Amino acid sequence: DAGVIQSPRHEVTEMGQEVTLRCKPISGHNSLFWYRQTMMRGLELLIYFNNNVPIDDSGMPEDRFSAKMPNASFSTLKIQPSEPRDSAVYFCASKTDRGYNEQFFGPGTRLTVL
Amino acid sequence: EDQVTQSPEALRLQEGESSSLNCSYTVSGLRGLFWYRQDPGKGPEFLFTLYSAGEEKEKERLKATLTKKESFLHITAPKPEDSATYLCAVQPGGSYIPTFGRGTSLIVHP
């Protein structure tokens, strides 16, 4: 299994531009999580999907952030318009929901907003 | 509110110098406690899951233990390749969303 796949791995953009991050979860996993990691705040949950449905989006910082999961093998996190304070590493993770088990993380997307 | 506190924030060891990392937690109905390892520029990598007080798990030089209030990650005779950030996460009952600690950054000098 290729594991969780994220793209792009690095993104540099200018303030005000739209940014789209992509994630392909592990096949057969029906839970998907988007996280943001910074030195100041650590690992923060942004949104959690189960069976392609958003269950908890309380961590989405504001309306500039949106996430979709159109099918079981693809999810996007969009920031529009982007701001310098959005600079961080964004991780996608997936897991099965059979019991209380571990998450599998992707390699992350390092976003820099100038 | 569920809380996870890891200590110390950073730890420097000499190769072969054993030590322990701590993860203290308050959670409603613990269903699982997870340890992850994160190398620079990579995503967290799963190490262990502990489900009940008294449980222990081992992997190479690492041993994780769990009580009702905290978990320890013991590192025996560490090597430089054990250098990484170690994250702890707790899974509350009735939720599939874990709460993560801030991590302990471990550096092992040769």
Side-chain angles (χ1 to χ4, degrees), chain B residues 36-58:
Chain B
Y36 292 85
R37 168 189 172 130
Q38 186 175 20
D39 292 296
K42 296 188 177 181
E45 177 185 352
F46 170 72
L47 292 173
F48 303 110
T49 306
L50 301 168
Y51 290 107
S52 58
E55 189 175 0
E56 299 182 352
K57 288 192 176 176
E58 292 188 61

Side-chain angles (χ1 to χ4, degrees), chain B residues 40-90:
Chain B
K42 296 188 177 181
E45 177 185 352
F46 170 72
L47 292 173
F48 303 110
T49 306
L50 301 168
Y51 290 107
S52 58
E55 189 175 0
E56 299 182 352
K57 288 192 176 176
E58 292 188 61
K59 180 180 180 180
E60 297 181 355
R61 295 175 293 282
L62 300 178
K63 179 180 177 180
T65 63
L66 180 64
T67 72
K68 289 185 177 181
K69 294 183 179 181
E70 58 191 348
S71 177
F72 291 94
L73 185 65
H74 306 278
I75 303 177
T76 302
K79 298 182 178 181
E81 53 262 42
D82 294 323
S83 298
T85 295
Y86 291 86
L87 296 168
C88 170
V90 296

Side-chain angles (χ1 to χ4, degrees), chain B residues 11-13 17 20 28-30 38 43 54 74 80 95 98-99 103 105 108:
Chain B
L11 181 62
R12 293 178 179 270
L13 299 173
E17 180 187 1
S20 297
S28 302
L30 181 73
Q38 186 175 20
H74 306 278
S95 170
T99 298
S105 174
V108 181

Side-chain angles (χ1 to χ4, degrees), chain A residues 54-76:
Chain A
I55 303 299
D56 188 331
D57 65 355
S58 59
M60 296 286 265
E62 49 199 271
D63 292 345
R64 297 185 298 106
F65 285 69
S66 63
K68 294 181 179 180
M69 192 164 186
N71 57 61
S73 60
F74 185 65
S75 177
T76 60

Side-chain angles (χ1 to χ4, degrees), chain A residues 37 39-40 45 100 102-103, chain B residues 36 38 46 51 97 102:
Chain A
Q37 187 176 46
M39 289 293 293
M40 290 294 292
L45 177 69
Y100 296 95
E102 68 276 12
Q103 297 167 305
Chain B
Y36 292 85
Q38 186 175 20
F46 170 72
Y51 290 107
I97 301 174
R102 295 293 303 274

